[in-house]
Amino acid sequence: MAWECGIGGCGAVFEDVESAVVHQATEHERRECEVCGTIVPDGYLAIRHTFTEHSRAEYVRAYGASSEDVRNREALLEEIESVADTQALADELRR
């Protein structure tokens, strides 16, 4: 399965999800979390931060998100985490 970067119309395509996440973390601007102000890599890692560090209600308030937005992001997290080698990803991002 190919993985496409969805940040700002980037469209770069990768053979594995780990490469796509590393690309997002290293090739795109970091973003400030609207809930807590932490600076995080854009894309998957920003979504993961928001949904693991904050409540759904905080996310909705801070980003003006709808319940559909929440469901879409939760589904994306589940899809990525079901196939990603999270240890290899963490190791790569520490380099």
Side-chain angles (χ1 to χ4, degrees):
M1 173 179 186
W3 293 84
E4 183 176 339
C5 177
I7 296 173
C10 171
V13 177
F14 303 89
E15 289 185 28
D16 57 74
V17 69
E18 295 86 3
S19 296
V21 173
V22 168
H23 161 82
Q24 290 178 335
T26 60
E27 300 300 322
H28 291 282
E29 286 186 40
R30 293 177 177 260
R31 301 288 179 201
E32 182 177 344
C33 174
E34 296 293 325
V35 178
C36 68
T38 299
I39 304 299
V40 295
D42 204 355
Y44 163 76
L45 293 172
I47 295 169
R48 186 174 187 281
H49 164 82
T50 303
F51 281 84
T52 59
E53 299 296 321
H54 308 295
S55 71
R56 303 312 184 251
E58 289 174 314
Y59 172 76
V60 167
R61 282 192 300 273
Y63 290 92
S66 67
S67 57
E68 182 178 348
D69 294 330
V70 171
R71 284 191 301 275
N72 288 340
R73 283 162 180 78
E74 288 176 330
L76 179 64
L77 289 174
E78 286 178 27
E79 181 180 9
I80 290 172
E81 291 170 359
S82 73
V83 297
D85 180 342
T86 54
Q87 186 59 53
L89 183 55
D91 293 343
E92 182 66 29
L93 290 171
R94 282 190 203 120
R95 293 183 187 181

